[in-house]
Amino acid sequence: LRIFIGNHRDHIFRGVAYERAFETMAERLGDDEGAMRFLGESLALENDPAMRGSLQLLKFQHLFERDRAAALRFADTLQTAERSPRLFMMIGYYCMEEPADPTRATRNFLRAAELSRGGLERAQAYAMAGSALAGRGEREEAKRYLSLAAGNPEADRMLGEMLWEEGNRLEALDRLVACVARMPGLRASVKLDSLYALAHPGARDLEQRIMAIRIADEGPMGDPAFVDLEGKRHDLGKLRGSKLVIYALSPT
């Protein structure tokens, strides 16, 4: 694995090699000191924010399993040092585990939102920040971030339920309809049909409202570049006008 990493400094799979090498040293060989030294050496060679984030996350997870307090102190040192949205999202998720630390979780989710480039990624970060704030009783602040996450099904669900409790039924239903349009499996759990009937007795337009959101044209794709499984880089902008099928695999 070290040979692979050394010979392929820009390969998309070097992250997997880092992870496997670290796990082998730390878990199978029981060489914590060597594993941590390996991470330090690897970080010294990496400038890519995403790859650095993956390496720092390995260290955080390793510490979290052994000494939660030490892991959280380490996480605090990363706030200004790293620029990987995924790193801060994952730390935020860990901070939501019992015993939860909603203040630290919120800080990490908001850092992830600040660094996110994509709208969906940013919405997920704001949704989680809103959830963490709601968990510590800061309802108005939670609503503010959930509003910024509009289009994220969980954010729409949480905000819709809050607004319904406050008596703001029409705005609540707008959120719940948007939630179900994007995540149909939540229709029963949010009791959308019953709530809609209460607010709009005799109305027959719920299905149309759901479908109007579900069937949406967000316009042409941008011109992103991506790397395939062979490590080859592609630029979508150069394929404009061609018929293209993209088969995407989950990175996990």
Side-chain angles (χ1 to χ4, degrees):
L1 290 169
R2 284 177 177 271
I3 292 170
F4 173 81
I5 293 168
N7 289 338
H8 301 280
R9 296 300 318 154
D10 296 323
H11 200 287
I12 189 174
F13 286 147
R14 72 186 186 283
V16 178
Y18 282 135
E19 183 178 347
R20 296 293 183 267
F22 178 80
E23 289 176 350
T24 300
M25 297 171 74
E27 298 175 15
R28 299 188 183 184
L29 299 178
D31 183 9
D32 270 20
E33 184 178 341
M36 289 299 185
R37 186 167 56 251
F38 167 72
L39 280 185
E41 293 168 353
S42 302
L43 281 163
L45 297 172
E46 286 290 347
N47 294 316
D48 177 66
M51 195 60 64
R52 288 185 58 84
S54 295
L55 291 168
Q56 297 286 30
L57 182 60
L58 280 174
K59 182 175 180 179
F60 172 80
Q61 291 169 324
H62 185 73
L63 288 172
F64 195 88
E65 292 173 2
R66 290 155 178 77
D67 186 342
R68 180 186 175 114
L72 294 177
R73 287 195 299 272
F74 168 66
D76 290 343
T77 69
L78 302 175
Q79 283 285 316
T80 57
E82 300 297 340
R83 301 192 58 78
S84 164
R86 179 176 177 271
L87 169 64
F88 296 108
M89 281 296 293
M90 293 302 297
I91 291 174
Y93 286 132
Y94 274 90
C95 292
M96 296 287 276
E97 292 185 10
E98 293 297 332
D101 186 344
T103 299
R104 195 177 253 114
T106 301
R107 183 164 66 247
N108 280 281
F109 289 135
L110 292 180
R111 179 63 172 151
E114 176 188 349
L115 294 171
S116 296
R117 290 190 236 174
L120 294 176
E121 185 180 49
R122 187 177 301 107
Q124 178 65 15
Y126 280 136
M128 292 306 302
S131 177
L133 286 162
R136 71 185 196 196
E138 297 187 29
R139 191 179 180 93
E140 290 305 312
E141 192 72 353
K143 287 163 58 180
R144 182 166 80 88
Y145 285 111
L146 292 173
S147 295
L148 290 173
N152 177 282
E154 277 300 315
D156 286 332
R157 179 188 64 79
M158 286 187 283
L159 185 54
E161 291 174 350
M162 286 181 176
L163 292 168
W164 186 271
E165 290 170 6
E166 295 170 359
N168 192 344
R169 291 187 169 189
L170 296 182
E171 188 178 350
L173 284 173
D174 287 342
R175 292 293 182 167
L176 294 176
V177 169
C179 166
V180 170
R182 294 181 174 90
M183 195 174 287
L186 291 178
R187 184 165 183 165
S189 63
V190 302
K191 301 180 176 61
L192 177 61
D193 294 80
S194 298
L195 297 180
Y196 201 80
L198 280 173
H200 301 287
R204 297 288 184 270
D205 64 340
L206 178 56
E207 296 299 333
Q208 290 90 335
R209 288 189 62 182
I210 291 173
M211 293 306 296
I213 296 172
R214 187 175 297 163
I215 301 174
D217 182 357
E218 298 184 4
M221 289 181 65
D223 295 330
F226 64 95
V227 180
D228 66 18
L229 292 176
E230 303 299 324
K232 184 178 179 182
R233 189 176 180 85
H234 300 270
D235 184 348
L236 285 182
K238 295 179 180 178
L239 299 172
R240 191 172 301 282
S242 303
K243 293 182 179 179
L244 181 66
V245 175
I246 301 176
Y247 180 64
L249 298 175
S250 168
T252 58

